[in-house]
Amino acid sequence: MSTAPTIPALPHAHLTLTDFEGLATTVAGYPYVKLVLDQETSTVHLIDGADRLLHVQYVAERILGMTRAELARNLDAFNDSVYRAADRRFLLGTLALHNRPEYGGQFFSLETVEVDTMNADLLHAFYRTVRVLVDESIPVLLKPANHLQESFPADDVPRILAHELYSTAPYVPLNPGTTSGRLRVFTSENAYRTTNEPVRWYDVLVMDRMPDDIPRISGLINSRHTTPLSHTNVLAAGWGIPNAIQIGALASLAGLDGAWVEVIVDAAAPAVAVRGIDRPDSIDAGPSWAITQVDIGKPDLAAAQILPLDELRSTDAHRFGTKAANLGELTAVLRDGSPYWLGFYAAPRPPRPHLLEYLARHLETTGIDQSELSQAALRMMKEHVVVPRGVALPFALQQQFLESSPAIQQTIGKLKMALALGGEVDELCGELGALIRDTPLPADLRTLIEDAVLRHLTGAGRVVVRSSSNAEDLIGFSAAGIYESIPEVESIEDVVHAIQRVWASLVTTRGVLLRDEAGIGLSDCFMGVVIQQQLDGALGGVMVTTNPLDRRDFRSVLLNLARNSVDDVVSGAGDPLQHLYNTMEGGSRTVALGTDGVDVDDQAKVTLGRLALIGRLLQAHFAGADGPVDAPVDVEWLVDGDRIVLLQCRPYQLAA
């Protein structure tokens, strides 16, 4: 066991760069050192990165002489003593070194642990103590670790906010990994769309920002900042391909355009690594994913009944699609609660037997009786959450419509033949899509739809017509952004047209080819439709119940939000606000301000924190009795005051 270095907290002591570099470890390109200020002895302890100790482990074992078993038995109480106690002896933080020209070159940032509740006086005293230890030629900026600390007056303490560092970070590893392929550098979307050399599966794209309709390729390098939750980045995560933000990549990689390269996206590296290689022989064998068949399940085409969402359950996915079935499941959870939704917190987390104490704190209950906790969770859901009412059209109705038209059937046959022979399909997909959109519905089918809408959605005003295919939300095939949803629909006539547009989105060239690459045949794909009351909210966005940039972080939930519009988040057209919420110990922080450049108010942050907690409950509910309670879900939502509107809940697909 190594002896940790200490520095007396005196003005004449200094931490040199050499000292720092000898102790530092690196994450996301930043070298950092953990430190502990012992106020009782006026000593700063620097934790050697090679020891891989958490702050609390260091304090307990190296300073207080506790055994690891003793710490494990009292871990939660010990955490409270160092992170929450007003009379705490130890102040814990991290000193990171940055080299950013826009901030004048090298500087240190000092940050506490994100769940720390120290007050402003204590935080600023901590900063001043550390400031005198560091070589005065290197600036030290306080980096607030959570929204609480951001609210403190800055006083005379120079600081930098998390979103300022993230939004200007030269490198963000969105999806780590290694790939080999042909580098394709496109200076604009127009250049991408008009190229004479089509993009192939083995290509690695370099663009300012990826179009929403990219095919399945081997890697992505964004030359500008983008959200991890845009459709293209969600697809990249599901495909398991390397994906990163590298500022300036358009210029720095222009000389390699068209070359065969190896690309490494490493969370511990300072930048994307790109080096030229010979053309790999493996390219001739085709994409590895083409030999892996995606399990699409067997759809039920017998039942043609349109049902209200509140009569559906998740087990109806084989008739209506996962999206519709999960919306029905959500309405049941809001009404009745769930026997499974405590599962994330009830699971053992060694050395903790469970996290129920943390859930009790969030729900403001006493004790960890699961019946009491479940009732408190249900009260919270009933008070704050709604799912818009609506109806769902089963696969069988789409199939009836397709079979009613000889022209549609003939074109489907031609498209299947072209796919089987490896021919061009773009023209046939366009022809088939137009037929599906424009062919009049049989009278009995139209009457069935109109009656269901009038019976269940009278008085709803506007509705949104959403896709709910059986060829999405699958293990190995997420299909994020591939199918169409149409908002702002007001008349029955427009509802019918919107349904046909949703049906037609199943046969776009992109969708057909992506499914074909995954081994999903045209005959296996069907489209259900959700017609749902359209509600408004001051904020809209997407939440995933994980931290996409750190898969080991089981505590955090990422929310991407925009004012008024969910589409602004998922399309990637604008930069959303991004918040991280710790659903264990609590605390939250803003990691990007987005295009607006203005954060939401404190009340909205409280509501978004509640939404993050709800995400954990839903994650466990959809895992069921035997599923993995840590499998994240993807939730689309609106927030208006303290009301939370749940629009969609589906698995957040991550490649193995």
Side-chain angles (χ1 to χ4, degrees), residues 129-140:
T129 299
V130 175
R131 166 66 275 188
V132 299
L133 299 179
V134 178
D135 190 320
E136 62 185 12
S137 66
I138 304 176
V140 179

Side-chain angles (χ1 to χ4, degrees), residues 61-396:
E61 297 173 23
R62 303 292 178 86
I63 300 179
L64 300 179
M66 296 171 63
T67 66
R68 190 155 295 191
E70 288 175 316
L71 175 62
R73 285 196 297 271
N74 301 283
L75 183 58
D76 291 329
F78 192 83
N79 280 340
D80 280 345
S81 74
V82 294
Y83 295 136
R84 295 177 177 272
D87 58 348
R88 67 188 73 180
R89 171 180 170 181
F90 302 102
L91 305 182
L92 316 181
T94 300
L95 196 65
L97 181 64
H98 309 265
N99 193 347
R100 305 287 284 275
E102 65 270 32
Y103 293 110
Q106 280 191 326
F107 67 92
F108 284 111
S109 66
L110 175 67
E111 181 177 14
T112 70
V113 178
E114 64 178 10
V115 300
D116 204 304
T117 61
M118 68 174 71
N119 61 31
D121 290 340
L122 204 53
L123 181 65
H124 292 171
F126 185 31
Y127 168 83
R128 286 188 286 269
T129 299
V130 175
R131 166 66 275 188
V132 299
L133 299 179
V134 178
D135 190 320
E136 62 185 12
S137 66
I138 304 176
V140 179
L141 306 181
L142 180 65
K143 180 187 172 191
N146 49 47
H147 285 139
L148 172 66
Q149 293 181 7
E150 287 181 7
S151 70
F152 296 158
D155 294 339
D156 59 344
V157 175
R159 69 179 191 173
I160 189 166
L161 301 180
H163 66 78
E164 293 174 318
L165 276 177
Y166 177 82
S167 63
T168 59
Y171 169 59
V172 179
L174 294 171
N175 200 54
T178 299
T179 192
S180 298
R182 182 179 59 169
L183 200 70
R184 305 294 303 279
V185 181
F186 294 105
T187 57
S188 68
E189 184 172 339
N190 183 62
Y192 163 80
R193 298 199 181 281
T194 58
T195 180
N196 291 324
E197 175 58 37
V199 170
R200 306 295 184 185
W201 68 266
Y202 46 73
D203 286 337
V204 177
L205 291 190
V206 182
M207 297 180 70
D208 255 353
R209 181 171 288 156
M210 302 298 157
D212 205 31
D213 58 355
I214 59 170
R216 185 164 184 167
I217 52 177
S218 292
L220 303 176
I221 301 175
N222 301 269
S223 188
R224 286 179 50 204
H225 276 276
T226 181
T227 168
L229 302 187
S230 70
H231 279 148
T232 55
N233 292 329
V234 170
L235 285 172
W239 292 335
I241 63 173
N243 181 20
I245 298 166
Q246 182 68 66
I247 302 301
L250 281 180
S252 64
L253 297 176
L256 289 172
D257 183 30
W260 292 94
V261 297
E262 179 186 63
V263 176
I264 302 174
V265 176
D266 184 348
V272 174
V274 181
R275 68 177 184 89
I277 60 171
D278 294 331
R279 183 184 184 277
D281 293 337
S282 59
I283 297 299
D284 297 325
S288 60
W289 65 76
I291 62 174
T292 303
Q293 299 293 305
V294 173
D295 183 10
I296 196 169
K298 184 175 177 58
D300 180 355
L301 302 178
Q305 185 180 9
I306 299 173
L307 292 179
L309 291 177
D310 59 11
E311 293 184 17
L312 297 185
R313 296 297 179 270
S314 58
T315 51
D316 291 311
H318 65 297
R319 291 192 293 154
F320 293 89
T322 299
K323 189 180 299 181
N326 282 4
L327 281 169
E329 190 72 23
L330 286 176
T331 63
V333 169
L334 288 185
R335 183 182 64 243
D336 304 323
S338 166
Y340 309 120
W341 62 0
L342 304 186
F344 174 84
Y345 291 94
R349 308 278 178 176
R352 299 174 178 87
H354 52 69
L355 304 178
L356 292 173
E357 292 92 345
Y358 294 99
L359 178 60
R361 184 180 295 168
H362 289 303
L363 293 174
E364 299 179 345
T365 63
T366 58
I368 59 171
D369 177 77
Q370 293 200 34
S371 177
E372 181 182 347
L373 288 172
S374 189
Q375 287 300 313
L378 183 57
R379 286 194 298 271
M380 175 187 67
M381 296 282 273
K382 286 182 176 293
E383 182 177 354
H384 297 287
V385 183
V386 298
V387 175
R389 61 190 169 111
V391 298
L393 279 61
F395 302 147

